[in-house]
Amino acid sequence: MRVNKWGVGVMLAAAVLLTGCSAGATDKPAESKPSGGASQEAEAPTSDCPELKEGDTVDGSALSTCIAEAMSDTAGYAAKTTVMGIESTAKFNPAEKAIESISPVGSLIALGDDVWVKSATSDWQAADPSSSDPVIAALSATAADVTSLDPAAAAAGISGDFTVTGTGERLGEKVYLLSGTVEQQGTPVDVVFEVTEDYVSLASTSSASVEGQSVEVAMEITEWDVKQDIVAPL
């Protein structure tokens, strides 16, 4: 897929918009921790999180708190995201503030306060928001809040009502499909979260119209509660 300068900007803006720009869920302390991989049972959050049942409605602020609490204490996890047909992979180690996001269009690695980026045609380099390369500039600007790349951050600060519309399975666990509409930067975004009974969000789909372009972002966690191998590229 060929992506021009305008397309790169829209794609990156849409990815950040649709995956959430609020403070990352990992910023909140947790009193419980999912024990091991997603195939293993995890303890439910200790706050007053409602039991999930098909047909029930859950308040978005309560959903946000419950997901953030459930996902805040983990060794690490990996995820796959698709934006406008372009697939990226990501790894996260919250305790180390380490994030790696790799895609055919542009990639980013952050280790604490150190951030490196690269486009499809460049080598790894230190983040530079003023770069003449639109991909480097866009990725560097995004790096100002790298938590926006974290799938767990998609649930932070959501509001409105979410309805349990069905069930499915992810990583060997039963998940509940919670559907609703949130507003991000003035744009209505239709969201479906796939959440375990203990509120770990293992997947989400978000769709919206950005600058006249219909955009869908699909995210799924491929490995949960496993420390990821993230190293500096330079």
Side-chain angles (χ1 to χ4, degrees), residues 3 5-19 21 83-84 101 103 105-107 134-142 148-149 210 215 217:
V3 182
K5 180 177 179 179
W6 178 87
V8 168
V10 171
M11 188 199 74
L12 292 173
V16 173
L17 174 69
L18 270 64
T19 54
C21 296
V83 183
M84 296 172 69
S101 177
S103 84
V105 176
S107 303
V135 178
I136 296 298
L139 285 169
S140 299
T142 300
S148 65
L149 299 172
V210 181
V215 180
V217 174

Side-chain angles (χ1 to χ4, degrees), residues 141-165:
T142 300
D145 179 18
V146 293
T147 58
S148 65
L149 299 172
D150 185 345
I158 63 175
S159 58
D161 292 331
F162 279 75
T163 302
V164 183
T165 56

Side-chain angles (χ1 to χ4, degrees), residues 63-123:
L63 179 63
S64 172
T65 299
C66 292
I67 292 178
E69 192 174 86
M71 300 186 72
S72 62
D73 188 10
T74 174
Y77 54 99
K80 178 176 68 176
T81 302
T82 303
V83 183
M84 296 172 69
I86 297 178
E87 184 177 297
S88 64
T89 59
K91 299 177 181 179
F92 306 89
N93 288 328
E96 301 172 351
K97 296 183 179 180
I99 295 177
E100 174 186 283
S101 177
I102 305 295
S103 84
V105 176
S107 303
L108 178 152
I109 292 177
L111 294 171
D113 295 329
D114 296 319
V115 181
W116 300 268
V117 296
K118 73 181 295 293
S119 69
T121 58
S122 76
D123 294 326

